[in-house]
Amino acid sequence: MSQIKIFDTTLRDGEQSPGVNLNQVEKLEIAKQLERLGVDRMEAGFPASSKGDFQAVKAIADTIKDTSVIGLARTTKQDVDIAWEALKGAASPSLHLFLATSPIHMTYKLKKTPEQVIDTAVSMVSYAKQKFSQVEWSAEDASRSDWNFLAQIIEQVIDAGATVINLPDTVGYTTPNEYGEMFRYMRENVPNIDKVQLSCHCHDDLGMAVANSIAAVENGVTQVEGTINGIGERAGNAALEEVALALKIRSDFYPYHTNLKLDEIKRTSDMIAKFTGMSVPGNKAVVGRNAFAHESGIHQDGVLKNTETYEIITPEMVGVKSNTLFLGKHSGRHAFKDKVKEFGYELSDEKLKEAFDAFKLLTDRKKEVTDDDIFTLLTDIQTDTAAASKYEMQMFQVQYGTANIPTATVSMKTPEGDIVQTACTGQGSVEALYKTLEALIAEEVNLIDYQISSVGGGKDALAESHVQLMVNGETVNGRGAAQDVVEASANAFINAVNRHVVQQTNLKKEVIRS
């Protein structure tokens, strides 16, 4: 069976999802999990886009050793040089260059003639090859490009040193038949096409990203690009977990395989959902909470007799485990440490103690502590930004009921070290709390989105909240968990504000250094 390489762009294209704003610690944890998942290549970011992205890509490149780390760049020398500085510490530094080739993009966005586009692409691939042994070149909006022109530019960038040719369906416009035919045409009309790998990159605007990716594989593509959970701009990208499972389950039809460790899919999906705040729909293929649920009596009867009657994927195949008690209030530090390692987290002694203390506190309040509970605790602690200058809630109290006006009182420590306190009312408990927090925070804050969900089930389940705030004109996400829904909401709000505070502090430090 032929191997299909998996190119994950969750950290680059996935982070371009509206409202998603990952910090460096979160990106590094995602990169480590993607390495455990077994992706062949990971696009860590766009180094030239910002100092923050440059630092995150550099940290990932310096850490990840078993997966090729890639940076995105426009066809400019400055972008290529910045990408090299970020990636040169990687085990196998690679570059992803892109340039639009469709008539509408060349005319209105690039304002270049087809000849100028070819010259730019060739010169920049040649320049990049002086630094990077692996150079992927993408024809942005390939699915709306002239095929004859595509064949010309592809031939020339291959001669210039490109090692991978990617033909993306940038706007999710094409169909499986059209997309497959495009790759077949290039294989038949580009004389040096055998010198490179062909790659596909599909968006899901018409709901056909996975189908288009499979069609590309059927027509000679050996690398599939996409994201975990299918996140990305607009309607997102091809969901890599769906592509991998389609090839696995239908191996009788598709003579291909990937190197993904399929039992790491669920954990990877959960991590991406938590960090991005983009919850996985219940009916999502492979990783949705209903993917293995059966409500129909006929279905339940069939599954009880033989799971293959209605389940083509076993829960264990993708890493879904029964959410049973694994540790309790009498569990010791050693057992807890072993569980932390099982989750793939590497905690410092200080954070391990913090996590264990939080776990013990949870066992006093919650009858059953599950894997999901522990994963949530570890995620929050591992990605918490350790900074002296940030907001810390000292105390909060909310009074509400059907017969009185909801009122919240909050005492908070400011980044300057002052203790401030006030109270506000609202139409509900969360509104009262958020108005109080806004009154105490010096930054200008506006709530854009608020979500609350439970971790697992039961009346004593942990609550997890995600918020999106506009802080001093910048969109920031926040995440918080607690056994009380109001406390979880407060934690998420403060987490978002602190992300902005820490980011601004780091930017000031960079300015001083420079």
Side-chain angles (χ1 to χ4, degrees):
M1 296 179 72
S2 302
Q3 181 192 343
I4 301 301
K5 292 186 179 296
I6 296 298
F7 178 115
D8 182 276
T9 183
T10 303
L11 290 167
R12 199 277 301 172
D13 207 334
E15 203 205 5
Q16 291 177 204
S17 303
V20 174
N21 185 9
L22 301 170
N23 61 36
Q24 182 174 321
V25 175
E26 290 168 334
K27 288 183 178 181
L28 189 56
E29 287 302 322
I30 290 173
K32 290 176 182 177
Q33 181 57 36
L34 291 174
E35 185 178 34
R36 284 189 287 271
L37 178 63
V39 303
D40 300 284
R41 293 163 178 159
M42 70 172 76
E43 192 167 44
F46 188 172
S49 64
S50 69
K51 286 186 177 181
D53 219 30
F54 174 90
Q55 293 297 339
V57 172
K58 187 177 188 307
I60 292 169
D62 293 346
T63 302
I64 301 301
K65 299 305 176 187
D66 293 334
T67 297
S68 177
V69 179
I70 298 172
L72 183 71
R74 293 162 296 197
T75 46
T76 68
K77 287 186 176 182
Q78 182 181 24
D79 272 25
V80 174
D81 291 342
I82 292 173
W84 173 250
E85 288 303 312
L87 292 160
K88 62 184 180 183
S92 177
S94 302
L95 186 70
H96 181 188
L97 277 172
F98 71 96
L99 187 62
T101 54
S102 66
I104 191 169
H105 276 245
M106 289 190 291
T107 301
Y108 294 102
K109 187 179 78 172
L110 300 181
K111 300 188 186 319
K112 289 179 182 287
T113 65
E115 292 73 23
Q116 289 174 319
V117 168
I118 292 177
D119 289 344
T120 300
V122 169
S123 64
M124 283 302 100
V125 168
S126 179
Y127 180 74
K129 198 63 189 290
Q130 296 173 29
K131 300 175 183 290
F132 296 89
S133 60
Q134 298 294 315
V135 177
E136 173 173 327
W137 181 78
S138 284
E140 186 184 8
D141 206 22
S143 58
R144 294 192 295 174
S145 299
D146 176 78
W147 289 5
N148 182 54
F149 174 67
L150 267 183
Q152 291 179 49
I153 194 170
I154 288 171
E155 180 180 358
Q156 293 190 47
V157 295
I158 292 174
D159 285 340
T163 55
V164 179
I165 297 297
N166 178 40
L167 302 180
D169 182 26
T170 304
V171 294
Y173 175 76
T174 195
T175 66
N177 187 54
E178 287 176 335
Y179 200 51
E181 283 186 2
M182 179 177 67
F183 281 101
R184 189 184 310 124
Y185 180 91
M186 299 309 151
R187 291 175 63 206
E188 294 173 352
N189 291 276
V190 178
N192 54 0
I193 199 74
D194 60 327
K195 294 181 179 179
V196 296
Q197 292 183 35
L198 288 176
S199 183
C200 63
H201 180 118
C202 298
H203 281 260
D204 206 35
D205 297 71
L206 295 177
M208 292 188 282
V210 171
N212 286 337
S213 299
I214 296 294
V217 169
E218 291 179 306
N219 286 277
V221 161
T222 56
Q223 175 177 280
V224 174
E225 304 185 11
T227 60
I228 301 301
N229 296 341
I231 66 173
E233 287 190 281
R234 303 183 315 278
N237 291 260
L240 290 175
E241 67 277 4
E242 295 180 22
V243 173
L245 262 293
L247 296 179
K248 171 68 175 179
I249 299 301
R250 292 308 312 272
S251 59
D252 61 321
F253 188 82
Y254 300 117
Y256 314 104
H257 75 279
T258 72
N259 283 334
L260 290 192
K261 299 183 180 95
L262 300 182
D263 59 359
E264 287 288 341
I265 285 177
K266 186 62 166 65
R267 185 175 299 168
T268 311
S269 170
D270 287 346
M271 178 180 284
I272 301 300
K274 286 182 186 298
F275 287 173
T276 61
M278 298 184 69
S279 300
V280 176
N283 64 335
K284 166 76 169 64
V286 180
V287 292
R289 67 177 179 273
N290 296 339
F292 308 102
H294 305 278
E295 186 168 333
S296 163
I298 296 174
H299 285 211
Q300 290 174 347
D301 180 63
V303 169
L304 288 172
K305 292 174 179 175
N306 187 325
T307 57
E308 292 185 8
T309 54
Y310 289 102
E311 281 187 5
I312 61 170
I313 308 167
T314 64
E316 293 76 19
M317 182 183 291
V318 296
V320 176
K321 301 176 182 178
S322 58
N323 206 16
T324 56
L325 176 70
F326 77 90
L327 290 175
K329 66 190 302 180
H330 300 298
S331 299
R333 191 183 301 270
H334 183 74
F336 182 78
K337 188 174 182 179
D338 286 344
K339 179 54 70 172
V340 172
K341 288 182 179 178
E342 183 182 317
F343 277 113
Y345 277 116
E346 298 173 4
L347 271 62
S348 64
D349 290 342
E350 182 182 351
K351 288 202 169 186
L352 181 63
K353 181 182 182 305
E354 183 182 350
F356 183 70
D357 290 345
F359 161 71
K360 297 298 281 188
L361 184 62
L362 187 60
T363 61
D364 289 335
R365 300 176 178 177
K366 197 172 188 292
K367 185 178 179 181
E368 293 186 346
V369 178
T370 65
D371 276 13
D372 282 347
D373 295 327
I374 296 300
F375 183 68
T376 299
L377 286 179
L378 294 177
T379 298
D380 285 349
I381 288 170
Q382 178 71 330
T383 58
D384 180 46
T385 305
S389 300
K390 61 180 182 179
Y391 290 97
E392 295 180 22
M393 188 166 63
Q394 305 290 302
M395 177 279 295
F396 85 97
Q397 179 176 310
V398 179
Q399 295 176 317
Y400 62 98
T402 57
N404 53 10
I405 298 174
T407 304
T409 303
V410 176
S411 177
M412 178 180 287
K413 183 179 179 181
T414 69
E416 294 73 30
D418 300 323
I419 303 297
V420 293
Q421 181 174 313
T422 193
C424 292
T425 61
Q427 295 299 311
S429 56
V430 173
E431 184 188 13
L433 176 63
Y434 279 8
K435 285 176 69 176
T436 308
L437 291 173
E438 286 181 35
L440 294 174
I441 290 170
E443 284 71 20
E444 182 181 343
V445 181
N446 292 298
L447 179 67
I448 300 173
D449 188 36
Y450 165 78
Q451 299 175 33
I452 190 78
S453 60
S454 65
V455 177
K459 61 183 180 182
D460 60 352
L462 275 178
E464 187 169 48
S465 177
H466 288 89
V467 301
Q468 188 176 115
L469 304 180
M470 186 71 74
V471 185
N472 290 342
E474 178 192 9
T475 303
V476 188
N477 285 354
R479 183 183 65 254
Q483 203 161 10
D484 178 76
V485 294
V486 179
E487 184 178 357
S489 302
N491 291 341
F493 192 99
I494 296 170
N495 176 256
V497 175
N498 280 334
R499 282 171 181 262
H500 175 80
V501 171
V502 171
Q503 184 181 52
Q504 294 304 307
T505 301
N506 291 338
L507 286 175
K508 289 177 183 177
K509 290 179 181 177
E510 287 292 329
V511 171
I512 292 172
R513 289 195 195 102
S514 60

